[in-house]
Amino acid sequence: MKMSSKTLTLPLASCILASALFAGCAAPPGQQNNAALGTGVGAATGAGLGALIGNSEGAMIGGAIGAVAGGLTGYNWSAIKQRLAGATQGTGTQITEQQDGSLKVNIPSSVSFATNSYQIRPTFTPALDEVARTLVQNPELVSRIIGHTDNTGAVPYNMTLSQSRALAVVNYLVSRGVASGRLSSEGRGQAQPIADNLTPTGRSQNRRVEIFLYPLQANPA
């Protein structure tokens, strides 16, 4: 007798669930509660949702989508956030988890670079050293560095300055043992202010460097 698509749905969903759990268990030690677990749970949840569609294709597609979503949101940043917070205490650095699954380290100009300069300040190195240690100790992570300026000066100059600052951070991390292939940089000049450029305080906030840490499967690059 020929089986219907609905007859196959439950076994297929179970299969995907088993595969998802295996993905979480097969992760290297110390990573099972991070991206791998998120991927496994996401796949299982997606498969269940897909099964509700009523056919085997729905379960398969749901599992695939769930795995991606789980990978994006499943990383446990707690220990890394704690270490970075300790290294940047008193500097005004903000460390926040993002909706895309990344960790954002926002470092103000009072710590990072002097005005019109892309030379890394000594006050910036403790934060960068901790970022470098984090990347070396967690090979499943990659980083993207983005430089920003205020609106003082010409637009082309500010763009070049922001690019140079981001690249300076990349070069520093490489000098601390991070493989260059795990790093990328970008300058956005004055295009994305987070405060009012009409005040000295606002301009200081806009002159910043943002370091994003991503699990490999969540890296937008």
Side-chain angles (χ1 to χ4, degrees):
M1 181 176 66
K2 184 177 179 181
M3 292 185 179
S4 68
S5 295
K6 289 187 177 181
T7 307
L8 294 175
T9 299
L10 183 57
L12 181 55
S14 301
C15 238
I16 294 174
L17 172 59
S19 299
L21 294 175
F22 176 78
C25 295
Q31 298 178 29
Q32 294 173 350
N33 292 328
N34 295 337
L37 181 57
T39 303
V41 173
T45 303
L49 292 173
L52 294 177
I53 297 173
N55 55 51
S56 59
E57 290 82 1
M60 184 177 295
I61 293 170
I65 293 173
V68 173
L72 289 177
T73 60
Y75 200 87
N76 184 358
W77 293 109
S78 298
I80 292 173
K81 283 175 66 177
Q82 185 175 4
R83 290 197 301 268
L84 286 170
T88 60
Q89 187 173 9
T91 65
T93 296
Q94 298 175 330
I95 304 168
T96 54
E97 294 185 43
Q98 305 298 294
Q99 291 185 348
D100 64 357
S102 67
L103 186 71
K104 176 183 177 182
V105 184
N106 182 22
I107 303 170
S109 62
S110 59
V111 176
S112 54
F113 299 98
T115 303
N116 295 329
S117 172
Y118 56 89
Q119 297 297 316
I120 291 173
R121 285 177 163 175
T123 50
F124 196 7
T125 58
L128 293 181
D129 289 340
E130 188 57 51
V131 170
R133 277 191 291 270
T134 295
L135 289 167
V136 169
Q137 294 171 5
N138 297 271
E140 75 278 11
L141 298 180
V142 294
S143 181
R144 185 166 186 78
I145 297 93
I146 301 177
H148 301 269
T149 70
D150 60 27
N151 68 345
T152 304
V155 172
Y157 174 83
N158 287 336
M159 179 61 73
T160 299
L161 180 60
S162 66
Q163 292 168 343
S164 297
R165 287 175 171 175
L167 186 58
V169 172
V170 167
N171 290 337
Y172 185 92
L173 295 177
V174 170
S175 76
R176 292 300 187 269
V178 182
S180 60
R182 298 171 62 196
L183 303 169
S184 61
S185 66
E186 179 184 352
R188 295 184 181 173
Q190 63 190 56
Q192 295 182 334
I194 58 173
D196 189 352
N197 272 314
L198 296 177
T199 67
T201 300
R203 289 193 294 272
S204 178
Q205 293 177 21
N206 292 332
R207 297 190 300 268
R208 68 198 190 276
V209 174
E210 296 171 335
I211 300 175
F212 291 87
L213 300 175
Y214 297 90
L216 279 171
Q217 75 272 22
N219 182 17

